[in-house]
Structure formats: structure tokens, C-alpha cells
Amino acid sequence: MFLEAHESGDTVYAAGLSMSALFVLLLAEEFGAKLAGGICLAPTLFFDGWNIPWYYRLLPLASYTPLKYNFYFKEGPPYGIKNEKIRGMVHRFYSNAKLKDIDGISKYGYAFFPVSLFHQLRRLARKIIPMLGRIDAPMLLIHPQDDDTASVKNSQLIYDRISSDFKKLVILTGSYHVITADQEREKVACEMVDFLDAI
């Protein structure tokens, strides 16, 4: 689909939140100038935010056992949301969510994380970090200072290592991880529009 859009003459940009932001970096490295610009929102190379339990460090061990196929973690507060009203809505949904229940996940997200997700993230991070120096597409990174899931070190590492001539790192001061839904979402949208207009 990416190549189809590019070959049709469209200008192609890519944006992603959290782990999805890592795929923006993969596109930028693989397709070079064919990607007109990338936007990484709270990119997550490492789960090192202030709300990540200490025992998450043990998850790589579980990844080498059958547990990775049937062991899930249910996300707890604050769900990446600093805004109390929005967090309350997410809490009501997550409190009643069941593992195979998909109703409402398009609005509130999925409440459960399989162990295999953490294993795959580690593999993806090991692939992406060495290639950062080969990325030269225009790149915007937006990260909350108080990210509960992935510290701002994630964006800083990416910003420091990419070779883009045009790059910008924006630090938010009033949001947690899910910056597209939290209380600075309008600022996030404005930064994205300004970035796209500038490249």
C-alpha cells in the first residue's frame, strides 16, 4: 500500500503512536526519500515509564516458555491518560473488559497485553536501534515528560541518532503516554500540522 501510494504520485507521510511509531522508523529506513516525513508519538523502544512494574524485567524469561502464548497482563491505572475525566471512562471500560471481548476496543483500546507482545517489542527494538543512523527523512517526535509507559529517553535516543537534517523533538508537560487522547491532544495535532506544513 505504501509503494502504491507513492507510485501513484501521492506525497506519503507516516505517523504512529507508541509501538506503532517504530514502524514509522522502519519505513523511513527502508524507503528513504520515498517517505516525505515521519511522526513518532511517544515512541516505545523500552517499557521504562514510571508506572511499569519491576517484574516486567522478568518477562523476557517467560518469552522462552509456553506462557508467551496464553499469559496476559491486564492494564491498570492510569492507562496512559492524565486527564481524570477521560481516565474515568477508560477505567469503567477496562474494569469490565474480558479477554475475548472486542466491543469498545476501537474507542478505548485493548485492556490486555500478551507476554509475546513484550518479547516482540524487544526484538523490534534490537532491529531498529542500529539502523537509526541511516534514517534521514524529516522526523517529528512528540513525547510526554511524565510518560507512564515509555520514558522520554525513548524519543531522545531516536532524535540523537537519526541523521535527518530536519528533525524536531517536542516535550509535553501535561500528558501521560496516550498523547493523542490526553489533555494536550490539540497541541499534538497543531504540532503535527505545523511539521507537515514545514516540510
Side-chain angles (χ1 to χ4, degrees):
M1 188 164 60
F2 176 90
L3 289 175
E4 287 176 5
H6 181 266
E7 289 166 4
S8 72
D10 292 337
T11 302
V12 181
Y13 306 95
L17 170 69
S18 192
M19 286 181 64
S20 297
L22 305 187
F23 293 101
V24 173
L25 298 171
L26 287 175
L27 283 172
E29 193 277 334
E30 182 174 353
F31 294 107
K34 291 179 180 177
L35 180 70
I39 301 173
C40 295
L41 306 172
T44 304
L45 290 165
F46 318 105
F47 285 99
D48 62 347
W50 57 263
N51 195 44
I52 299 299
W54 64 269
Y55 54 79
Y56 274 42
R57 286 178 239 147
L58 303 177
L59 290 179
L61 299 175
S63 298
Y64 296 101
T65 74
L67 284 174
K68 69 180 179 182
Y69 298 113
N70 52 26
F71 192 50
Y72 292 77
F73 286 96
K74 190 172 186 180
E75 188 174 1
Y79 315 110
I81 302 290
K82 189 170 188 176
N83 182 285
E84 292 184 7
K85 182 177 180 180
I86 298 173
R87 188 195 310 160
M89 292 188 293
V90 175
H91 180 72
R92 286 189 290 275
F93 173 75
Y94 278 26
S95 295
N96 298 311
K98 301 293 186 286
L99 185 60
K100 296 185 179 181
D101 183 10
I102 61 171
D103 293 332
I105 62 171
S106 62
K107 185 174 182 180
Y108 297 106
Y110 193 51
F112 298 89
F113 291 93
V115 167
S116 58
L117 173 102
F118 298 96
H119 175 62
Q120 295 301 329
L121 175 66
R122 286 170 58 86
R123 293 183 61 199
L124 188 56
R126 284 197 297 266
K127 178 180 177 67
I128 287 174
I129 292 173
M131 68 172 56
L132 289 173
R134 300 195 296 272
I135 293 173
D136 57 10
M139 197 68 59
L140 171 66
L141 298 112
I142 307 179
H143 213 110
Q145 183 66 52
D146 297 322
D147 195 318
D148 56 316
T149 300
S151 80
V152 74
K153 293 176 184 177
N154 287 263
S155 278
Q156 190 67 59
L157 184 150
I158 295 166
Y159 180 84
D160 290 343
R161 296 196 184 186
I162 60 176
S163 300
S164 309
D165 291 329
F166 186 62
K167 59 183 178 178
K168 183 178 182 182
L169 172 58
V170 177
I171 306 297
L172 304 176
T173 58
S175 302
Y176 291 161
H177 187 63
V178 187
I179 59 176
T180 52
D182 212 347
Q183 51 201 16
E184 292 175 288
R185 58 190 178 275
E186 290 185 9
K187 177 177 174 59
V188 171
C190 288
E191 290 285 354
M192 292 172 67
V193 170
D194 289 347
F195 171 75
L196 294 174
D197 285 344
I199 57 177

